[in-house]
Each structure stands twice: as structure tokens, then as C-alpha cells.
Amino acid sequence: MSNFKSEVIQRLRADIRSKLDQIGAFVDNELADYIMVLVANQKSKYQMKDDLSLFLGAETDQFVNWLANTLKRLQLANQ
């Protein structure tokens, strides 16, 4: 994430909040911030699924796959 611009990071944070709200998991900013830490630490999809399953339950796979695709799209756009 260090190579992303500040506005891209803010957009990603907003998109994460929106997606969490869409799947009924958004309660406050702490989960979105935690997910941003996972992204910054370059956790693998497997690690993210393991770390987020407690919070997202059955929606974990869908969310992590969405997040991975979103990150790929941002990386391509940032090149």
C-alpha cells in the first residue's frame, strides 16, 4: 500500500466501508481500519479469510474475494 496515493487509500477505505455495509457487517470504523491494516501488511487471501471469519461469518469468502479484486484493479490503475 505504500505505493498508493493518499486519495486512493481514502477511496479504498470508503469502498471497504460500503461493502461491509452492503453485506450487513458494518458497525463502526474499527473493522474497516483493521482491514486496512491487513492490506497494508500484505496479508494473503487465506490469512485475511482466517482473520476476518470471526467478524464476517458466511460472508467472509465473498468479501475477501471482492477485496482482492479491488486491490488488483487499484494496482493496475496505479501503474
Side-chain angles (χ1 to χ4, degrees):
M1 259 182 62
S2 61
N3 59 345
F4 285 142
K5 296 178 183 172
S6 178
E7 54 274 358
V8 174
I9 292 170
Q10 294 302 325
R11 176 58 196 231
L12 176 61
R13 182 176 279 121
D15 287 351
I16 288 171
R17 289 179 187 149
S18 177
K19 185 65 173 178
L20 289 172
D21 190 44
Q22 179 185 353
I23 64 174
F26 185 79
V27 178
D28 56 30
N29 291 331
E30 290 181 20
L31 182 54
D33 291 342
Y34 178 64
I35 293 167
M36 291 297 292
V37 169
L38 296 177
V39 171
N41 289 325
Q42 299 178 351
K43 296 288 187 172
S44 69
K45 283 175 69 173
Y46 174 78
Q47 291 169 314
M48 285 190 191
K49 286 178 183 181
D50 189 48
D51 290 347
L52 294 174
S53 64
L54 178 65
F55 305 105
L56 303 180
E59 303 294 334
T60 304
D61 285 341
Q62 174 196 4
F63 178 82
V64 172
N65 288 334
W66 168 85
L67 182 58
N69 289 334
T70 299
L71 289 171
K72 281 182 189 175
R73 191 176 68 245
L74 287 173
Q75 287 170 340
L76 289 174
N78 198 41
Q79 291 181 351

